[in-house]
Amino acid sequence: MSKILFVMSGADHWTLADGTRHPTGFWAEEAVAPYEAFTAAGHEIVVATPGGVVPTVDKASLAPEVNGGRQGADRVAAALDSMKELRRPLALEDVRLDDYAAVFYPGGHGPMEDLAVDATSGRLLVDVLRSGKPLAVVCHGPAALLAATTEDGANAFAGYRVTAFTNAEETQGGLADRAKWLLETRLVDAGLEVRTGEPWAPHVIEDRTLLTGQNPASSAPLAAELLKKLG
């Protein structure tokens, strides 16, 4: 059994352009679907957050309409309740990369608030890239890549092909015109090559050891691709 590190946002809000706080956190499906895939394959999950804060689930991600109905919503909520690792996260500062076979970043708008500017997470991502270990990042999780700068100030992932929650999806979700910045745009500005698929449809991109998924529907396919890399 190997360990997979889940690096998760510690934020419970996303600050919008007008200064208001949009309640958020991590998106349930993006933690539950990979967790279930990885544990079913025999891997152990360890959760880490900035400061060891217990991560907050975005309550919108527990709604029936984003889980295929009430039965799906109840199943996701029950799965979260059973994920004891969420209740005792490591502090990101205490993570030893050598302990893990792979690293996974779920999304939700939370990473837009904290991981996008978290230097500890940024250093970890640079180290993961240099280690050759598989790294999987989904939806708004790629915001964390923005903090992964090298000694010369460049982004460590510049030139990598990635996908992430798109400007079109943010617009359709109703928050694009209220955001301080948009993830797809900022990734392009940092030198990453963003490849977008149809809004809300599963879309996964692999470039070397980096795997990215576009949206919540990409979580399970992304997890499957990471498991292939782990053999």
Side-chain angles (χ1 to χ4, degrees), residues 30 138-139 163-165 169 198-203 213-219:
E30 296 169 24
V138 67
C139 199
T163 191
F165 200 72
E169 287 167 321
E198 289 296 315
W200 314 109
H203 181 58
Q214 179 171 314
N215 46 35
S218 305
S219 302

Side-chain angles (χ1 to χ4, degrees), residues 25-73:
F26 70 90
W27 197 259
E29 181 180 0
E30 296 169 24
V32 168
Y35 178 92
E36 291 179 338
F38 298 152
T39 55
H43 299 287
E44 180 182 345
I45 305 303
V46 176
V47 172
T49 64
V53 174
V54 174
T56 298
V57 63
D58 189 323
K59 289 182 172 54
S61 69
L62 299 176
E65 53 266 31
V66 298
N67 288 290
R70 171 51 59 191
Q71 185 174 353

